[in-house]
Amino acid sequence: MQRKGFYQLTLAAVLAGCIGAPTVFAGDETKEITERLNTAATVLNEVMSAPDKGIPEELLSKAQCVAVVPGLKKGAFIIGGEYGRGFMSCRKAGGWSGPASIRMEGGSVGFQIGASETDVVLLVMNDQGQSRLLSTQFTIGAEGEVAAGPVGRHTTAQTDAALTAEILSWSRSRGVFAGISLKGATLRQDLKSNGKIYGREISNKEIVDTMMPAPAAAANFSKSLAMYSPHEKH
């Protein structure tokens, strides 16, 4: 009888652990997404506060959308390519939408020697670029879609890339910040991460089109966008 009772208690403990596991994992995933949002904010702050090696303020002030992929990993999950998750936000009527989750896969970012991760920042400069980024999946290929962005706090010489590209891109690896082309990389929405942020798996297009407000977890990311966008300053 004692042995039977022991087995019953053990079985109950195992079942309780199995039932509680999804809740624990869900909590861990939400925490990870919050940390990624805060890291994206830190990347944007550090890039924009660089004395002479940041993104030109004039370009950021004109951008329709901003995307940040912190800690893009080389050779992770995809052999010979890169993989990372980040967030984008678009401007409309003077304000910024809540963050929409994105995934970047494949392509060639151009990691510095000895680096296993790099940060990527994208500025969407026109309606066509925004439409591409808000699609379910977008693989960079044709010239003019995405171009390496100019580096410097201010840009007085208007480059062809800044004038014609739909999306401008930069990378930072081992302290080196430069423009990159990202040709061959695939950008797609991350519905699962959106579900953790907003409580349901909402599309990136709906987040932007309805200008969904940023949740509390994205406070730092939204604050960073407003801080470095002159139109948002009061």
Side-chain angles (χ1 to χ4, degrees):
M1 294 295 292
Q2 290 180 343
R3 180 174 296 180
K4 182 178 179 181
F6 170 77
Y7 287 147
Q8 289 176 336
L9 288 173
T10 301
L11 179 60
V14 170
L15 290 175
C18 291
I19 293 172
T23 302
V24 173
F25 291 148
D28 288 344
E29 290 179 1
T30 301
K31 180 180 179 181
E32 189 274 333
I33 292 173
T34 301
E35 291 175 349
R36 199 187 321 145
L37 277 163
N38 289 334
T39 301
T42 298
V43 169
L44 187 60
N45 288 339
E46 291 178 352
V47 164
M48 291 307 301
S49 62
D52 56 0
K53 291 291 184 179
I55 296 174
E57 294 179 356
E58 292 92 337
L59 291 180
L60 182 55
S61 69
K62 296 175 182 178
Q64 294 185 196
C65 306
V66 176
V68 182
V69 181
L72 186 74
K73 294 177 175 60
K74 186 174 185 178
F77 300 100
I78 299 177
I79 298 175
E82 284 79 53
Y83 175 88
R85 289 179 170 178
F87 305 94
M88 63 170 289
S89 179
C90 295
R91 179 163 32 207
K92 187 177 181 181
W96 289 94
S97 70
S101 303
I102 58 173
R103 294 167 58 187
M104 181 178 290
E105 303 169 350
S108 179
V109 174
F111 286 76
Q112 298 298 316
I113 295 175
S116 60
E117 294 187 359
T118 190
D119 303 316
V120 174
V121 180
L122 308 175
L123 295 188
V124 179
M125 305 308 297
N126 55 39
D127 291 338
Q128 191 167 358
Q130 179 172 321
S131 178
R132 291 186 192 278
L133 200 59
L134 289 177
S135 62
T136 303
Q137 179 177 319
F138 161 45
T139 299
I140 300 167
E143 295 297 328
E145 291 176 349
V146 180
V151 175
R153 290 296 298 276
H154 301 280
T155 175
T156 53
Q158 294 291 335
T159 65
D160 290 341
L163 288 172
T164 62
E166 299 170 7
I167 303 173
L168 298 174
S169 57
W170 293 262
S171 72
R172 184 182 66 168
S173 183
R174 293 179 68 86
V176 177
F177 185 72
I180 50 172
S181 66
L182 290 178
K183 189 171 183 179
T186 296
L187 302 173
R188 67 182 72 207
Q189 62 183 353
D190 187 348
L191 293 177
K192 184 176 180 180
S193 292
N194 283 344
K196 296 298 180 184
I197 297 173
Y198 295 101
R200 63 186 178 94
E201 293 191 357
I202 182 174
S203 71
N204 288 359
K205 191 175 188 304
E206 184 176 350
I207 290 172
V208 170
D209 287 350
T210 62
M211 289 300 287
M212 291 193 68
N220 290 335
F221 185 66
S222 297
K223 182 179 179 180
S224 296
L225 285 172
M227 185 182 302
Y228 297 107
S229 301
H231 291 308
E232 312 307 318
K233 295 179 179 178
H234 299 283

